[in-house]
Amino acid sequence: MKKKIFIWIAFLVATGWVIAGSSKVLEASTTSLTYSVFFPPTHGQSKAAADWAKEVEKRTDGRVKINVFSGGTLTPADQTYDGVVKGISDIGMSVFAYTRGRFPVMEVLDLPMGYPNGRTATRVANDVFTKFKPKELDGVKVLYIHAHGPGLLHTLKPVQSLRDLKGMKIRSTGLSAKMVEMLGAVPVAMPQGGTYEALQRGVVDGTFTPIETLKGWKQAEVIKYTTDSSGVGYTTAMFVVMNLKKWNALPKDIQDIFEAVSAQWIDVHGQTWDTLDLEGRQYTLSLGNKVIPLSKEEDARWKKAVSPIIQDYIKTTDAKGLPGKNAVKEVESLIKKYGKLYK
């Protein structure tokens, strides 16, 4: 009897059935996921996202395979969140502010609170989410959040005062659009992907954005001046979320790996933002563009001009039964905490 079994095994191996069968088992045990990233593939944040995916694959011993689609090729930036909810992509990275009003609690992060750098902004963003757990994000699994360094003004013509800015058309998103209004300019809603051409064609006169975009999105080629308005420096928070059904279908040990890698990548993205900001500054200066500092008096005028935005946010969100005032206080406290840590 044993001899017959050995003969059958030898036959199956010889014909490839055992190998093919084991291969099918391995294939079936691999979970393939799609990841939609709105950054272009050459951008540092897109590379950080790809490295995150590779690390998840590595720690799961290949049980998870993540296919990254950068440059908005799977879902456009303003449709990435809904794309994850609907299952068009399994994972998505994009910007809360691209769907203004959709994430009222998380909008507190984008207020002009004077963020000093990307590491601070990124840590603040994750702590705010952890503390308030806003219901607006219940439809997905939030893996982590990151946020850029202070948004500054970049223009075709020099801006040294509010008088210079008055009436100019400035690309902006989310709450930064309100900021543009309060400063006397005209906001033009637009994702980063369309900003280069808009500046090149004169559709807009400038853009409010972190200085890293001058290199990461090549915008230094089409602007001439940067106004260092860091006194009213805002950030733009970005989500990395997963389809809830796909998340719930993962084994617990795989979920734990996703959580661990994501926790590590919070600082990876924060540090990447700061590195990119430095590179953006160096790049724009290398092209002969100018960085204009605001005078102390002018900086105070800009802060005063945008201060009603914060009060309006508190009033509006509190009226909806949301923690507007508490969220603002939390952000202020966290900026002080992490600002000291990440000098």
Side-chain angles (χ1 to χ4, degrees):
M1 184 65 179
K2 290 183 179 179
K3 185 176 180 180
K4 289 183 179 180
I5 293 173
F6 288 137
I7 291 173
W8 271 106
I9 292 175
F11 172 76
L12 291 172
V13 170
T15 57
W17 281 97
V18 171
I19 295 175
S22 62
S23 175
K24 289 178 180 179
V25 170
L26 287 174
E27 184 178 349
S29 67
T30 300
T31 299
S32 293
L33 301 171
T34 55
Y35 185 4
S36 179
V37 178
F38 82 104
F39 287 104
T42 56
H43 195 283
Q45 294 298 342
S46 189
K47 294 176 181 177
D51 289 343
W52 171 88
K54 291 176 183 176
E55 187 65 17
V56 170
E57 293 175 358
K58 176 183 175 182
R59 295 195 197 181
T60 59
D61 295 323
R63 291 167 62 193
V64 172
K65 171 66 178 176
I66 302 175
N67 299 302
V68 179
F69 295 83
S70 55
T73 54
L74 186 56
T75 52
D78 60 349
Q79 298 176 30
T80 299
Y81 184 85
D82 281 336
V84 171
V85 172
K86 296 175 182 177
I88 298 173
S89 67
D90 300 311
I91 307 168
M93 177 196 292
S94 193
V95 180
F96 289 113
Y98 285 172
T99 47
R100 187 173 174 179
R102 179 78 175 271
F103 308 100
V105 175
M106 299 306 291
E107 282 183 1
V108 70
L109 297 168
D110 296 0
L111 293 170
M113 308 280 274
Y115 290 93
N117 50 57
R119 285 174 294 175
T120 294
T122 294
R123 276 293 172 185
V124 169
N126 283 277
D127 283 11
V128 165
F129 171 74
T130 300
K131 180 177 178 65
F132 294 102
K133 293 288 185 184
K135 291 184 178 181
E136 62 210 44
L137 288 166
D138 282 353
V140 296
K141 166 61 181 178
V142 176
L143 294 169
Y144 62 95
I145 302 166
H146 59 98
H148 63 65
L152 305 178
L153 177 65
H154 315 279
T155 53
L156 304 176
K157 300 184 297 183
V159 173
Q160 302 182 68
S161 68
L162 291 179
R163 182 176 60 255
D164 297 332
L165 185 57
K166 188 174 179 60
M168 293 178 68
K169 293 176 292 182
I170 305 297
R171 174 265 175 197
S172 50
T173 58
L175 286 176
S176 68
K178 287 188 177 181
M179 183 173 163
V180 169
E181 289 179 13
M182 300 304 291
L183 293 173
V186 180
V188 179
M190 187 182 301
Q192 286 291 8
T195 305
Y196 183 102
E197 184 178 359
L199 287 164
Q200 187 179 48
R201 295 170 55 195
V203 174
V204 294
D205 304 306
T207 175
F208 254 115
T209 187
I211 200 168
E212 65 84 16
T213 59
L214 299 189
K215 182 179 182 182
W217 295 81
K218 305 299 183 184
Q219 291 172 15
E221 298 175 358
V222 287
I223 64 101
K224 296 298 180 183
Y225 302 92
T226 292
T227 301
D228 188 350
S229 51
S230 54
V232 293
Y234 70 95
T235 191
T236 302
M238 303 171 203
F239 56 78
V240 179
V241 298
M242 187 171 181
N243 177 273
L244 202 54
K245 185 176 180 180
K246 283 295 179 70
W247 171 258
N248 290 332
L250 293 175
K252 179 62 167 59
D253 64 319
I254 296 294
Q255 289 181 343
D256 290 343
I257 290 171
F258 268 91
E259 297 274 24
V261 177
S262 296
Q264 182 180 344
W265 248 248
I266 290 172
D267 282 336
V268 169
H269 282 277
Q271 180 60 64
T272 299
W273 279 120
D274 289 340
T275 299
L276 294 174
D277 272 352
L278 178 60
E279 291 177 357
R281 181 178 290 269
Q282 293 172 340
Y283 180 66
T284 194
L285 291 174
S286 75
L287 296 181
N289 297 331
K290 306 296 183 183
V291 177
I292 304 171
L294 289 178
S295 67
K296 184 177 180 180
E297 295 75 19
E298 195 62 31
D299 181 63
R301 292 188 188 99
W302 287 48
K303 289 180 180 178
K304 183 178 180 181
V306 302
S307 61
I309 297 174
I310 299 172
Q311 297 307 314
D312 181 62
Y313 172 83
I314 292 173
K315 181 179 179 180
T316 302
T317 50
D318 280 354
K320 296 177 181 178
L322 299 172
K325 185 176 182 180
N326 288 339
V328 167
K329 286 184 177 180
E330 185 69 11
V331 169
E332 290 174 337
S333 176
L334 290 170
I335 287 177
K336 291 179 181 178
K337 172 185 175 180
Y338 289 113
K340 292 178 181 177
L341 184 61
Y342 299 124
K343 290 183 178 180

